[in-house]
Amino acid sequence: MCRPRVELLTRDGCAVCVRIHAQLAELATELGFDLSTTDVDAVASTGNPELRAEFGDRLPVILLDGREHSYWEVDEDRLRADLAGR
């Protein structure tokens, strides 16, 4: 079985994004998931504006295995439950 993937969608200068990343990094160690970060504005500047169009007004957004899990805050109870149920 592969490790779960958590992706944090962010943008440069987002203080809330920095805080959420730190919280997810701690949880990644404890719960055993891979954590990555994607700057939606940087992706858009390469000619792929879809992420920014879909999620740009709700950042930070947390994706679990490519699907939206939560936004603005980590729903830690739900994340723990979803990872336990894998």
Side-chain angles (χ1 to χ4, degrees):
M1 179 171 9
C2 62
R3 286 169 54 101
R5 293 177 301 109
V6 172
E7 181 178 7
L8 179 62
L9 303 181
T10 68
R11 73 170 23 111
D12 189 39
C14 173
V16 174
C17 299
V18 172
R19 180 176 54 80
I20 296 301
H21 184 270
Q23 184 179 0
L24 287 172
E26 287 182 21
L27 289 170
T29 301
E30 177 188 344
L31 301 175
F33 59 81
D34 293 326
L35 176 61
S36 64
T37 303
T38 301
D39 182 317
V40 298
D41 296 323
V43 171
S45 73
T46 65
N48 188 353
E50 288 82 18
L51 279 179
R52 183 171 59 191
E54 184 172 351
F55 299 109
D57 62 340
R58 293 181 280 151
L59 296 175
V61 174
I62 300 163
L63 306 178
L64 175 58
D65 293 328
R67 301 185 73 179
E68 185 175 344
H69 188 269
S70 56
Y71 59 94
W72 293 334
E73 296 291 333
V74 177
D75 186 340
E76 188 173 330
D77 292 338
R78 182 172 166 226
L79 182 61
R80 287 178 181 279
D82 289 348
L83 290 169
R86 289 186 88 239

